[in-house]
Every structure is written in C-alpha cells, then in structure tokens.
Amino acid sequence: MASFLGRRALHSAIALIGLILAVFFLVRLTGDPTDLYLPIDASLETRKEFAHKHGFDRPSAEQFLVFLKDVSNGDLGYSLRKQRPAMELVLEAYPTTLALAGVAMVLSITLAIIVGAIAAYKPGGVFDRISSMASLAGASAPDFWIAITGILIFAVTLRWLPTSGVGDLPYWILPIGVLMLRPFGLMVQVVRAAMLGALSSAYVKTARAKGVGETAVIFVHALRNACLSIVTVAGDLTVGMINGAVIVETVFGWPGVGKLMIDSVMQRDFPTVQATIMVTATAIFLLNIAIDFLYVALDPRIRHQ
Amino acid sequence: MPDPILEIDDLRIEFRSGGEIVHAANGVSFQINPGETAAILGESGSGKSVTAAAVMRLLQSPPAFITGGAVRFKGQDVLGMPIAKWRDYCGREIAMVFQDALTSLNPVFSVGWQIAELFRAHGVAFGRDANARAVDLLNRVGIPDPALRAKDYAHQFSGGMRQRVMIAMAIALGPDLLIADEPTTALDVTVQAQIMELLEELRAESNMAMILITHDLGVVADVADNVAVMYAGRVVERGPVSEVLARPGHAYTLALLDSVPRANSLGQHLKPIIGSPPDLARIPKGCAFHPRCRFATDLCRNEEPPSVAVTPRRIAECHHVEAVFNDS
Ligand SMILES: Nc1ncnc2c1ncn2[C@@H]1O[C@H](COP(=O)(O)OP(=O)(O)OP(=O)(O)O)[C@@H](O)[C@H]1O
Ligand SMILES: [Mg+2]
C-alpha cells in the first residue's frame, strides 16, 4: 500500500515538473511582452531596459535557471500587468474559484449519486431512460455554448439573473449550473453503471437474504462498493473542472483563477501565467494524492496488499 | 404429521430475454417439515438455485418471472406478501447460505460488521452488543481468534473460513429453516467434510430444518432425511433418502446413481448419463428425460408422465416406475 501511494506520488511529481517546463517555454512562444507593455513609439532604449529588467534579454534556458532559483526561494516573480507579486494575485483569485468549483462539484456528485442510483434500481424503466438521455445531453453539451445561451435566456431575455460578476445567490446560479453540467452528466452514467454492477452482485443477494431493508441494500451495500469507481471518476472530473472554470469564469466575469490565467496569457504576463499554473498544478498534485488516500481508505483489498 | 415448514406448490419460473423464454422451473413441488433435512439433487441447470432464489424472493424481474404456483412458509403465502414483510422473515426465521462465499460477502465491510448487521437489521441488538454477538458467532462456527478476525475482510479469509462466516450469518438469529445452496462446492475436499459437519452439528443443536442443494450423492446419503431429485425444472422423484437411493423409482435417478461411484456398487462399471441436459428454452415433449433414457418408449415421447406413488411416502414422475424399480 505504501508503495502504491509512493509510486502514484512519484508519477504525479514527474508530471508536475514536466508541466512547469512546458509552460515556461511555451508561454514564451506567444510573443514578446515588451510590445504589449510599452507604447508603440517607445524608444529602443526603453525597450531594452524593460527586457533587461525582467530578464527577457537572456536566453530562455538561462531565464529558466533563474526562475528555478527564485521558485526555490518561494519567489514566483512580479506581475507585469499589476506590478504586484504574482503569487499574491493567484492566492487572491483562488478562494473564488474554489468556492465555485467546490459547490459545483459537491452538488453534481450528490445529485448524480441520487439520480444514478435510482436509475440503476430499475434499469430500462421510465426514470432510467429519462435520466440517461438527460445525462448524455449534459455530458456532451459544449459549456461555452450553454453558458452563452444561459445568459441570453435567463439574464438578457427573462432578466431573472445577472449577466456576470460575483455577488449573492443569483450571481452563482448560472456559473454553477454551467460548470455542473458536464460532471453531473458523466457522473450519473458512472454511478448508474457502478450501481448496476453492485446491485446484481452476490453480496447484495446475501444482504437481502439477511433481511436488510432495500434502502440499506442500495445506499449501504451497493453504494459503498460503487464508491470505488465513483471516487476515481469524481477525482478526474474535479481536476477537469479547471477547464470548465476557465471558460465559465471568462464568460461570466468571475474573478477567479481561470479568468486570471486567461487574462495573463492574453497580456503575456509571463510570471502570473507561471504562478497560476504552478499553484494549480500543485493543487491537482495534492488532490490526486488525496484521492489515492481516499481510494485506499475505501478499498480494504488495496489496503492489505 | 406436523405441518410442513415450507411448501412449494407447482412453482413455475421463466426467464425472458432476447425473445427467448427459458423455463427454469416447470411446476416444482416440494415440502419440508420442521427439523428435517431435505436434499435437492440434480444436474447443473436443473433449476435448483432458481427455485431457492424464488423462495427467498431474490429473483430479479425482469428477466425472471414467476408464472404460477405458490410458496408457503409456516402457512403464510410468501410470494403474495409485501416484500418488506418477507424481508423481516429473512435472516430471522429463514436463512440462506450461498455457494461462493467470496462474492457473497461484501468486500468493503468487515465480516464482524456483516454478521452484526443481522442483529441491527432486525432490531435485536446494536453497537457493541451486536459486535460482541458477532464475535460469539464466529467462535461458534470455529474461527480461531474471533475477536480479532471479526475486524478482517472477506479477502483475508481462506475459502473454508469464509464459508464459516456465511454460516455464522445464517444461524445468527436462530432461523427455523436454512437453505444451503451447494455450500461446499467451491471448497477443497477435506474442507468440504468439515463444513458439512459444522452445518449438521449446528442444525441438530437447534433442531433447525435444512434444505441442502447439492450434486453430491455421498452428502445426501450422509445427512439428509428426504431427497428431491430435479430434472429440467421439475422434481421428478422425492422420498426418504434411504429408500430413493437404495431403489430409485425414476429412470433419471437410477441413471444418476449409476453415473457416480458408490460403496455398494464397488467393481461395477460407471455409466455416465448419455447426452446433455435439455435446453430449457426447448424442453422435449412428453417426459423431459426421454431423449437420454434407456427405458424410453413412445408413451414417454408424447405424454407427460403422471405422479406415481412408488411407496406411500414416495413419488416418481415416470411412465416406467415399475421397470425402473425392478431394474435397480
Ligand atoms: N438470469 C438468468 N437469465 C436467464 N436464464 C437463467 C438465469 N438464471 C438462471 N437461468 C437458467 O435457469 C436454469 C436453472 O438454473 P439454476 O441456477 O437454478 O441451476 P442449478 O440447478 O442451480 O445448477 P447448478 O448446479 O449449476 O447450480 C439454467 O438453465 C439457467 O440457464
Ligand atoms: Mg445452482
């Protein structure tokens, strides 16, 4: 078990390093930030001075070494755009994103477990067919399209909800709804399949033969086993939610990490891009480890290997 | 005669899938009295497990449909009562041990938890009290270090120990009837004997009735009072074990006996039953066994055999009871 976790952690760490490398060099392919930050008629002198100040005049490899050294001192550089430590910007933006993603994830997992379990209880029944269709639609709907359509219908036409920004409950409904759609759709199908297998298993027959009530059969015996595959997929979807967050935050003007990332890329704010990616990747790394621990905690067969 | 504890009367079960109808039970009739051990014997696919599952109301519908017949437990109509009411009987008054203990135990709960669940589910005991009783049960079924092992999971036990855990769950609330569906088939020969011994010991202790589903004629001869022989979803012969095994009244029973080594047939050649069991979607007309039967005549090919009282306590569904009887 320790070796299982160790191996998984090592894989994640290697992936993290690879990602940092890729981001560092790729972001430099987007062009020279000097063009964006200085007036068009800035003199060559000023340009050189700007490039020198931020180290852009040195070869990429050397810049990377400097970057590594700074990172190891806990310094992720200054935002070109805001003239503030990039890390500060990222840490400011994170709680908003976490709130959005957290609520969306908890809601979609909870709802998906209820819907998927009911669907699996009577496979082929009316509820199963309706929920299968709905979840398939949810899983395959393009979120940017849904987001814009949602704004058009509920904010522009019906005027029930605000178009964008952050505030009290009405501001949350559209972003969370859009962000939930895909994970919810996929999770319903995963829960349904896992529950279908669990409910037709021999141990469920044993539980029934023992006189255990149907509610406990479904939500204790079957669901507890189904959890093993649910957790794996839920973990991946949580990680994938970063994607969704970038789109949703951009469309709804939600001041989170996704929006910060896009804005920084657009403005070639390299240090901020690097900082958002580093922090996000570390968060994913930690999340993966947490999921592995959860998985081990849930499956005694792995625990005793 | 006491009232039977379980009566199965003309039970008919079919599986409908892909436009085909599999007739798994075609009028199964069977009964067992309190305290009695009855064996159900029959080839693979003869409908033994399906019948047991129907009694416990464990069949999934679809694909399974009960199309006729009745099951009475202690005089109560089982199939007609609300499922919640029947579940209350399950575990408390009627219990079941399945063939494969590894898949029949939930892999993610400790065995102690799963045994204690019986007490919780039936409101008998909770918390520490239920756990302590689970440990007692593990001790009773012969698991060493029961307090420690109660915390272990199914995969940490050997096959025989797992079956002991299943048995502990089955007897937890002192049921009056235990259905054991091939409880030893998945085990080593030496372990098989131990498990059968344990079952018989526990049964005798509380004078519980037991239905033992098995392929094993030796086990039937050893522990059962009565035997029912199943073929193609029907009980084709039933009666006291000593009589049926000594002198079968049905051609299938006779063929079955001739196909396995027996102490009293030492030196005789084994005669495997020719052909294979019928496809239950296309059961032969007349007597279902006729294509494989050496006694078969046109009568067998065309007409279903009647129930013949071979002796006052025995019934065989065969057109040629006398010929079979005299042959054995
Ligand atoms: N879920 C199912 N769908 C379709 N047919 C089924 C299903 N379950 C059982 N059957 C059919 O019912 C028949 C009887 O099966 P059953 O399991 O009762 O046999 P058995 O006598 O217990 O055999 P074994 O000794 O192998 O356990 C089999 O022919 C099988 O094909
Ligand atoms: Mg069987």
Side-chain angles (χ1 to χ4, degrees):
Chain A
M1 169 192 132
S3 78
F4 166 80
L5 288 177
R7 212 165 44 236
R8 298 273 308 203
L10 184 68
H11 287 173
S12 305
I14 293 172
L16 182 61
I17 291 168
L19 179 74
I20 292 168
L21 264 168
V23 167
F24 188 90
F25 291 105
L26 283 178
V27 76
R28 278 163 174 70
L29 295 180
T30 59
D32 186 349
T34 321
D35 300 338
L36 286 181
Y37 285 91
L38 295 181
I40 286 197
D41 55 356
S43 68
L44 202 61
E45 233 87 306
T46 333
R47 285 170 178 274
K48 272 198 174 146
E49 195 189 334
F50 180 87
H52 183 72
K53 180 175 159 210
H54 297 285
F56 297 139
D57 54 346
R58 293 188 244 175
S60 298
E62 199 184 322
Q63 286 184 43
F64 187 67
L65 289 179
V66 173
F67 168 71
L68 280 187
K69 194 171 137 256
D70 289 347
V71 169
S72 63
N73 292 328
D75 176 11
L76 283 167
Y78 262 66
S79 162
L80 300 181
R81 207 152 52 103
K82 297 270 170 82
Q83 302 302 317
R84 288 173 55 200
M87 194 64 181
E88 249 178 58
L89 294 178
V90 175
L91 292 183
E92 263 170 35
Y94 243 93
T96 3
T97 298
L98 285 184
L100 185 68
V103 173
M105 209 57 216
V106 168
L107 275 180
S108 44
I109 291 177
T110 315
L111 288 178
I113 284 178
I114 296 170
V115 173
I118 297 176
Y121 193 66
K122 280 221 186 315
V126 179
F127 187 89
D128 182 31
R129 275 181 280 172
I130 293 176
S131 75
S132 283
M133 246 163 6
S135 63
L136 194 68
S140 39
D143 30 17
F144 60 89
W145 181 80
I146 294 287
I148 291 167
T149 314
I151 291 180
L152 276 177
I153 295 176
F154 296 104
V156 178
T157 310
L158 296 173
R159 291 173 185 278
W160 289 350
L161 301 168
T163 48
S164 72
V166 63
D168 49 6
L169 191 65
Y171 285 91
W172 290 69
I173 294 178
L174 273 179
I176 286 185
V178 174
L179 200 51
M180 272 180 63
L181 218 53
R182 192 194 306 268
F184 171 74
L186 288 169
M187 286 294 294
V188 166
Q189 298 183 349
V190 170
V191 172
R192 180 185 177 277
M195 286 297 283
L196 217 51
L199 282 172
S200 61
S201 68
Y203 56 78
V204 157
K205 283 207 176 73
T206 307
R208 288 188 172 134
K210 277 157 67 178
V212 175
E214 269 318 83
T215 317
V217 165
I218 301 170
F219 290 103
V220 178
H221 283 269
L223 184 59
R224 180 62 177 67
N225 278 273
C227 269
L228 301 178
S229 32
I230 295 175
V231 162
T232 320
V233 179
D236 288 348
L237 287 177
T238 311
V239 171
M241 204 163 243
I242 305 284
N243 269 325
V246 170
I247 290 166
V248 166
E249 289 182 3
T250 311
V251 175
F252 291 100
W254 192 270
V257 159
K259 188 164 183 308
L260 179 67
M261 201 183 293
I262 290 295
D263 290 349
S264 313
V265 169
M266 293 300 194
Q267 312 225 359
R268 293 181 199 153
D269 186 351
F270 296 166
T272 312
V273 174
Q274 280 152 206
T276 43
I277 299 281
M278 289 270 303
V279 173
T280 306
T282 312
I284 292 175
F285 173 69
L286 294 177
L287 186 69
N288 275 328
I289 291 182
I291 291 165
D292 284 345
F293 266 105
L294 187 59
Y295 199 82
V296 169
L298 283 176
D299 193 347
R301 285 161 296 186
I302 295 188
R303 219 181 305 156
H304 299 124
Q305 251 170 29
Chain B
M1 278 284 277
D3 281 339
I5 184 164
L6 181 78
E7 276 176 283
I8 302 174
D9 187 18
D10 197 32
L11 185 64
R12 291 167 191 275
I13 304 161
E14 53 190 49
F15 289 92
R16 297 176 199 157
S17 53
E20 211 179 49
I21 299 181
V22 174
H23 300 274
N26 304 294
V28 174
S29 294
F30 174 86
Q31 43 183 263
I32 178 170
N33 292 323
E36 174 189 320
T37 300
I40 298 183
L41 192 66
E43 278 173 305
S44 196
S46 54
K48 307 182 294 290
S49 300
V50 168
T51 303
V55 170
M56 296 301 287
R57 296 191 60 180
L58 295 174
L59 291 173
Q60 283 286 346
S61 181
F65 294 87
I66 296 180
T67 54
V71 175
R72 274 180 298 278
F73 179 69
K74 297 187 174 176
Q76 299 256 18
D77 174 30
V78 172
L79 303 179
M81 77 169 74
I83 185 69
K85 188 174 169 209
W86 177 243
R87 284 290 168 255
D88 199 43
Y89 281 95
C90 290
R92 188 197 293 272
E93 300 190 22
I94 181 170
M96 183 152 178
V97 172
F98 297 89
Q99 174 176 341
D100 183 1
L102 180 60
T103 57
S104 296
L105 285 165
N106 197 318
V108 299
F109 295 109
S110 72
V111 300
W113 186 94
Q114 291 183 67
I115 298 172
E117 188 184 27
L118 268 138
F119 300 111
R120 295 191 298 265
H122 292 278
V124 174
F126 300 91
R128 277 164 194 270
D129 185 17
N131 293 339
R133 291 182 191 219
V135 172
D136 282 347
L137 278 162
L138 285 176
N139 192 33
R140 253 182 89 192
V141 296
I143 292 194
D145 266 338
L148 238 76
R149 298 306 309 255
K151 298 190 182 73
D152 284 348
Y153 295 83
H155 70 272
Q156 291 167 288
F157 288 82
S158 68
M161 287 294 157
R162 275 198 287 267
Q163 198 56 286
R164 283 173 195 266
V165 172
M166 288 298 291
I167 292 170
M169 291 203 296
I171 61 156
L173 296 174
D176 299 315
L177 175 63
L178 174 69
I179 303 179
D181 188 355
E182 306 195 29
T184 61
T185 315
L187 305 174
D188 292 343
V189 183
T190 47
V191 183
Q192 283 185 358
Q194 292 165 8
I195 295 292
M196 276 318 303
E197 209 169 294
L198 173 71
L199 268 175
E200 179 49 29
E201 189 187 305
L202 292 168
R203 192 206 64 76
E205 248 170 51
S206 57
N207 198 31
M208 171 173 75
M210 177 160 78
I211 297 176
L212 183 66
I213 298 174
T214 180
H215 296 274
D216 191 335
L217 274 170
V219 168
V220 173
D222 278 350
V223 303
D225 306 311
N226 290 300
V227 61
V229 181
M230 281 192 73
Y231 189 79
R234 274 189 87 82
V235 173
V236 294
E237 172 158 23
R238 62 191 152 115
V241 169
S242 50
E243 292 184 27
V244 173
L245 295 194
R247 219 169 163 194
H250 194 289
Y252 173 63
T253 316
L254 180 62
L256 204 60
L257 292 180
D258 284 342
S259 70
V260 296
R262 278 180 299 161
N264 60 357
S265 62
L266 219 60
Q268 280 185 21
H269 285 295
L270 294 184
K271 286 176 272 183
I273 308 179
I274 47 164
S276 49
D279 175 356
L280 294 180
R282 288 170 207 79
I283 296 177
K285 207 175 145 222
C287 171
F289 185 57
H290 81 252
R292 306 167 74 186
C293 181
R294 62 186 165 101
F295 296 92
T297 57
D298 275 344
L299 187 63
C300 306
R301 283 182 270 275
N302 292 311
E303 267 171 57
E304 282 183 23
S307 243
V308 181
V310 184
T311 71
R313 299 191 298 163
R314 289 177 60 187
I315 284 176
E317 292 184 347
C318 183
H319 285 298
H320 301 291
V321 170
E322 234 136 89
V324 174
F325 205 56
N326 293 330
D327 191 84
S328 50

